Amino acid sequence: MRESEVSAQPACPVGSYNEWDPLEEVIVGVVDGAHFPPWHVAVGAPLSPQQRAVFQERAGQPFPAEEIAAARDELDQLVDVLEGEGVEVRRPEPRDHGHSYGAPGWSSTGLYDAMPRDLLLVVGEDVIEAPMAWRSRHHAASAYRPLLKEYFRQGARWSSPPKPELSDELYVADWTDQPEGEPFRSVITEFEPTFDAADFIRCGRDIFVQRSHVTNALGIEWVRRHLGEEYQVHEVKLADDHPMHIDASLMPLAPGKLLIHPDRVPEVPEIFKDWEVRKAPQPVIPDGHPLYMTSKWINMNVLMIDEERMVVEAQDEPMRRLAESWGMTAIPCPFRSFNSFGGSFHCATVDVRRRGSLCSYF
Ligand code: ARG
C-alpha cells in the first residue's frame, strides 16, 4: 500500500470482534461515587437472599468509603499493568451517584461507573449503548459520553437502541425466585427491549447471549436485527439461579479455548464441539470477604490482553495455574477489594480496540 493510501484511510478508533485479539485500547471504570441503588424488585432479583438484605438496608447510601478507596487503588494498579503491557487506557471522569433523576412514573439515584462492560457492547467498529433495565443505571452512558463522542468524531459507529421507559410494566411487581428445579423466571417482562452488554460475549461472527434479570427476548432480538446477517446471535441456556451477566459463566479465552463455570453450563453448546472446554477452578476468595453483588465465581472473570496473556487476581493461584497449564502467561493484579463491587477484570473494562478482523472460529 502506498503512503498516500494509508493516510487517506485513518484507522477507526473502535474495533473489536472477540475477547482475545491483541488489545490496543481499553476503558477502565471508576468506582468513586458508588451508591447502593434505591430498593426495587429488579435490583433484588439477581442477588442472593443475604445480598438482598444488605441492599435493602443500605438503599440509597454510598458504599463504604474505605472499600471505595481500596477498590480505586486496585483499579489504578490495573491501569499500570495494562499500560505496562502496551495498552492505551482511557477512564471516565468520576461522578457522584447520589443525585436523584427520573422519568414519568419513577425516580431513582444511581449505582456506579465501575463496570463499563455492563453498558457498552463493542461489535466491530460499532459501540452500542445498552438499554439497561435497572432504573439506577438509566444514565450509565453519561460517564462515557465524552469518550463516545471522541470515537464518533474519529469515525466509529455509535448506536443506541430505543431508550427504555422503565415504567412499572417492565417489572413483575410480585416476582419471587423460581422454585428449585423450575425454569428461569425473569423479573422483567417483554414490555420493551432491554439488555445489559455483559450478557453478551463475542467470538467473531458468533455472539453468545443469555436471557437474564436484565436482558429480555426483545433486547436480544434488537441486537440480532441491528447486527444483521454478518453475525449469528446464539441464545444459550445456562443454569444460573440469579442470572445477570454471562461473563462469570461462559468465557471464551482464545480460539479453541472455552472456560466455563463448573455447574452453570449443563450442556456446552454444540457449536463449541471442536473447542477445548475447561472448568474454572474453585474460587479462593475467603468466606468473610464482602461480595455485594456476585458469587465467588467472579474468579473466572478474567481479561485477555491477547491469546496468551491473561490478567488474573494476584491471590488466585488456581487460576494462575490454569492459565499456565493452558499455554498462557498469567499477569497478576490485586483486585479482591474491587471484586466486592460486583465484578472483576472483564467487568471493569471494555475493549475499545483489538487488532484483528471479523472471522469465524467455528
Ligand atoms: N452474575 C455473576 C455471578 O454472580 C457475576 C457477573 C458479573 N459480571 C459483570 N459484567 N458485572 O457470578
Side-chain angles (χ1 to χ4, degrees), residues 3-314:
E3 192 118 337
S4 59
E5 284 174 287
V6 175
S7 54
Q9 244 198 5
C12 183
V14 173
S16 176
Y17 295 95
N18 56 47
E19 309 294 333
W20 56 74
D21 273 342
L23 187 59
E24 293 184 340
E25 182 166 334
V26 71
I27 301 174
V28 172
V30 296
V31 71
D32 304 78
H35 279 64
F36 289 93
W39 181 250
H40 184 249
V41 64
V43 168
L47 306 179
S48 71
Q50 299 83 325
Q51 290 169 332
R52 283 174 200 159
V54 175
F55 267 66
Q56 267 172 311
E57 193 184 295
R58 304 206 199 168
Q61 293 175 26
F63 278 82
E66 62 289 353
E67 292 179 23
I68 290 182
R72 179 201 302 127
D73 182 62
E74 291 180 347
L75 281 168
D76 291 346
Q77 293 186 62
L78 175 62
V79 171
D80 289 345
V81 165
L82 291 169
E83 287 179 345
E85 298 296 323
V87 181
E88 182 171 356
V89 178
R90 312 298 301 272
R91 309 286 305 268
E93 283 300 318
R95 49 186 190 139
D96 178 5
H97 288 273
H99 296 297
S100 189
Y101 54 82
W106 60 269
S107 68
S108 183
T109 50
L111 175 67
Y112 53 47
D113 299 315
M115 315 283 171
R117 184 76 59 183
D118 297 358
L119 169 75
L120 299 174
L121 181 60
V122 174
V123 181
E125 298 185 351
D126 191 6
V127 46
I128 304 169
E129 291 181 10
M132 302 180 96
W134 281 18
R135 290 172 173 169
S136 51
R137 307 191 89 172
H138 192 53
H139 289 292
S142 305
Y144 306 97
R145 282 285 170 92
L147 286 169
L148 297 176
K149 286 184 272 189
E150 178 190 316
Y151 296 140
F152 182 70
R153 286 192 184 99
Q154 293 170 2
R157 284 185 69 194
W158 179 15
S159 308
S160 179
K163 191 132 207 94
E165 295 179 75
L166 307 186
S167 56
D168 288 344
E169 291 99 315
L170 177 64
Y171 309 100
V172 180
D174 58 355
W175 178 91
T176 50
D177 274 310
Q178 64 274 350
E180 180 101 28
E182 283 199 15
F184 170 57
R185 195 192 270 173
S186 183
V187 75
I188 53 169
T189 67
E190 295 294 332
F191 174 64
E192 59 188 345
T194 68
F195 62 85
D196 272 16
D199 274 323
F200 292 80
I201 200 105
R202 306 155 307 151
C203 297
R205 289 189 190 278
D206 295 279
I207 296 180
F208 299 90
V209 60
Q210 69 167 354
R211 294 268 299 272
S212 74
H213 284 304
V214 289
T215 296
N216 60 18
L218 281 175
I220 295 172
E221 184 55 23
W222 187 90
V223 173
R224 189 175 281 133
R225 279 191 218 169
H226 176 75
L227 294 179
E229 283 168 7
E230 278 188 316
Y231 295 89
Q232 281 259 17
V233 177
H234 309 261
E235 186 181 328
V236 291
K237 294 254 183 295
L238 301 173
D240 185 347
D241 289 345
H242 302 113
M244 182 169 78
H245 307 148
I246 199 169
D247 55 359
S249 300
L250 192 79
M251 285 289 280
L253 302 177
K257 293 178 183 173
L258 178 67
L259 183 67
I260 61 168
H261 184 292
D263 311 315
R264 286 185 192 155
V265 192
E267 238 174 287
V268 176
E270 172 67 12
I271 190 171
F272 288 103
K273 64 181 186 313
D274 295 328
W275 283 42
E276 189 181 347
V277 180
R278 294 202 189 177
K279 291 180 176 173
Q282 283 295 317
V284 294
I285 301 172
D287 279 343
H289 187 73
L291 288 177
Y292 294 108
M293 297 171 77
T294 67
S295 69
K296 290 185 184 181
W297 295 98
I298 205 64
N299 69 334
M300 58 177 287
N301 191 255
V302 293
L303 178 71
M304 301 303 292
I305 297 180
D306 56 28
E307 288 179 24
E308 258 129 50
R309 288 175 291 171
M310 178 198 279
V311 183
V312 301
E313 210 289 321

